[in-house]
Amino acid sequence: MYSLAWFVFWSMAAPKSLSAMPLHPRKIWKLNKAIIEVIVSNIGLLPVGISLIKYRYFAMRGSTKSSGLLTDIQYMPRRPSNKLDIYIPEGSVRVMDSRSFRLNGDAKAGLQLRPVIVFIYGGGWASGNKWMYTLVGARLREMGYVVFIPEYSVFPKGTIQDMEQEVRSAIQWAFEHCEEFGGDPQRIYIAGHSAGAHLCALAVLNDCIRRTPANLWGGPSNISKSPILSSLLQNIPQGQFDSSAANDVLPRLRGMMLYSGVYDICEHYKHESMRGVEELSAMGRLMGGTEESFRLWSPKYILQELIEVSAAIDKDSTGQTGQLSLLQHLKLLLPVETLVVHGDKDKTVPIKSSTELFAELKALNLGPSTQFQVMEGMGHEEPVVGK
């Protein structure tokens, strides 16, 4: 009983000494229960794993071009180890050169561009790999999307700031290059699962905040009421974003799809503690280890503070409320549509995470463009990999 829990704890929690190893029987029971649940869940995913291996290493063996896959493309010059895979629908590209799928000038003429999806996988911010989501990319490709699946730095190599920036860079790279692969830069969607959903929401919300002119916030005194806004805007002179820095902003996204995500780090840390896995999880260490720092990286609290700050803005000289001006501006920066999806049997990330995020999104008065879908009978992985 103790040996399994200790082995996993030593491997994942990286305690500084043996004295930090768990001893209480209840803690050991919780650890073993969580470990067994993961093992059972992974056994249930074995058919998916077998299909992945067959598709990636046998069906696609030989020429990846004939199967619509381009692998290991660098998307971030500052971090050349960060690469992405591109899945290209059949018929999207008429002419290929000897090095890639990229369209030449003649091939672009008369070609109908396809919608684009940038998919950010999960893995508890500490694991994951783009090849593990080959079947997701292949299925979306069959549905007619040009799909980009990037890798990003994970804990302990990467910080949460690194992860957010790398997700932003992947989206920017897809926007700048998708037309070369038959994709439509005006129809870019992002999708994320679990930790990937958290990173998608975080990148989009923080981008909107940084790009909002200082005058719309109601002045420095209003910004100072929000620890999150103050933190995000402190490195921008007078809270004024340089709109000429086009390579540092996200494009207007056609949609954002969030699956089984963590949006309240404080609440999820409590959930992990209840399960006895808070020390195994990278989340607490990655997000700063305090409630204050947890809030900074929680999309739910970012939205809450946006709403609170907007409500405190006085009317301007025209009689229009500053709140309305700010919300209208944010609406133009946020994705045109947002879909939040969660399985009602998810034990890893309770559905409450998504219901609360959806409530905050609705409070921004975005209208019918924001939807919430409950996947009945599904756990954590099934909304993405299927049952």
Side-chain angles (χ1 to χ4, degrees):
M1 182 177 179
Y2 274 77
S3 57
L4 176 61
W6 279 350
F7 174 77
V8 173
F9 189 89
W10 184 265
S11 302
M12 298 183 66
K16 295 181 180 180
S17 66
L18 289 175
S19 62
M21 297 294 285
L23 297 174
H24 197 283
R26 183 168 179 79
K27 177 71 171 181
I28 296 298
W29 178 82
K30 285 184 176 182
L31 285 171
N32 281 320
K33 183 175 182 290
I35 294 165
I36 292 170
E37 286 175 352
V38 170
I39 292 172
V40 171
S41 176
N42 288 339
I43 290 174
L45 292 174
L46 276 177
V48 176
I50 293 170
S51 297
L52 186 155
I53 293 170
K54 285 182 178 178
Y55 188 89
R56 181 105 185 180
Y57 297 105
F58 292 94
M60 293 166 50
R61 196 170 183 176
S63 174
T64 55
K65 295 181 183 181
S66 62
S67 59
L69 173 65
L70 195 60
T71 61
D72 297 329
I73 306 299
Q74 291 182 0
Y75 69 88
M76 199 172 183
R78 287 180 296 166
R79 294 175 187 148
S81 61
N82 288 354
K83 299 176 181 180
L84 54 77
D85 290 349
I86 308 173
Y87 297 78
I88 304 171
E90 187 175 353
S92 292
V93 179
R94 293 178 184 169
V95 179
M96 304 177 195
D97 64 30
S98 60
R99 292 165 297 171
S100 72
F101 280 105
R102 290 191 172 97
L103 294 169
N104 63 29
D106 295 333
K108 291 182 181 179
L111 187 65
Q112 184 177 0
L113 298 178
R114 305 294 187 94
V116 175
I117 290 183
V118 181
F119 180 80
I120 309 300
Y121 55 78
W125 303 274
S127 64
N129 190 292
K130 58 186 173 60
W131 68 264
M132 296 172 63
Y133 293 85
T134 297
L135 295 181
V136 173
R139 177 58 181 147
L140 291 172
R141 170 185 175 269
E142 291 174 0
M143 295 169 66
Y145 294 93
V146 178
V147 185
F148 297 80
I149 302 183
E151 289 182 337
Y152 56 91
S153 302
V154 296
F155 183 84
K157 177 183 176 182
T159 65
I160 185 62
Q161 293 92 338
D162 292 334
M163 296 178 199
E164 180 193 346
Q165 181 56 56
E166 289 165 18
V167 168
R168 285 163 51 88
S169 295
I171 297 169
Q172 291 163 343
W173 195 94
F175 172 72
E176 293 167 4
H177 296 277
C178 66
E179 197 168 357
E180 301 170 8
F181 306 97
D184 186 348
Q186 302 305 314
R187 290 190 291 166
I188 294 184
Y189 298 80
I190 61 171
H193 174 247
S194 193
H198 166 265
L199 292 173
C200 285
L202 187 70
V204 166
L205 291 174
N206 286 351
D207 180 75
C208 290
I209 291 171
R210 294 186 182 104
R211 293 169 63 187
T212 299
N215 62 295
L216 290 182
W217 293 115
S221 61
N222 208 31
I223 293 175
S224 66
K225 298 174 185 176
S226 165
I228 293 175
L229 295 185
S230 299
S231 175
L232 284 171
L233 299 174
Q234 65 181 347
N235 296 322
I236 300 177
Q238 300 179 350
Q240 181 63 55
F241 183 82
D242 180 7
S243 59
S244 64
N247 62 342
D248 196 37
V249 302
L250 293 179
R252 182 74 192 282
L253 298 170
R254 186 65 184 79
M256 177 168 66
M257 295 166 282
L258 306 174
Y259 296 88
S260 311
V262 176
Y263 311 113
D264 181 344
I265 304 301
C266 301
E267 190 65 28
H268 193 65
Y269 188 78
K270 294 176 184 176
H271 176 67
E272 289 187 338
S273 299
M274 182 187 69
R275 296 176 62 212
V277 299
E278 75 281 6
E279 293 169 293
L280 300 185
S281 170
M283 188 190 74
R285 289 168 282 171
L286 176 69
M287 306 292 177
T290 67
E291 183 172 351
E292 181 181 3
S293 63
F294 287 170
R295 291 174 67 94
L296 290 176
W297 304 110
S298 297
K300 170 188 163 182
Y301 288 113
I302 294 173
L303 285 167
Q304 281 187 358
E305 292 198 12
L306 275 178
I307 295 166
E308 290 169 3
V309 167
S310 68
I313 301 174
D314 295 328
K315 290 183 178 180
D316 60 24
S317 58
T318 66
Q320 182 183 37
T321 64
Q323 179 186 24
L324 182 59
S325 298
L326 175 59
L327 294 180
Q328 287 176 340
H329 176 80
L330 291 172
K331 188 173 181 178
L332 293 175
L333 296 178
L334 289 166
V336 177
E337 298 176 285
T338 298
L339 175 64
V340 182
V341 181
H342 216 111
D344 63 351
K345 302 298 183 184
D346 192 337
K347 295 181 180 179
T348 303
V349 182
I351 193 172
K352 178 183 178 183
S353 175
S354 287
T355 57
E356 292 184 347
L357 179 81
F358 178 68
E360 299 299 337
L361 286 169
K362 295 298 287 184
L364 282 177
N365 295 318
L366 299 178
S369 61
T370 302
Q371 301 291 329
F372 180 42
Q373 184 172 355
V374 177
M375 307 301 288
E376 295 184 2
M378 289 192 177
H380 189 62
E381 295 87 4
E382 287 91 345
V384 169
V385 303
K387 294 190 73 174

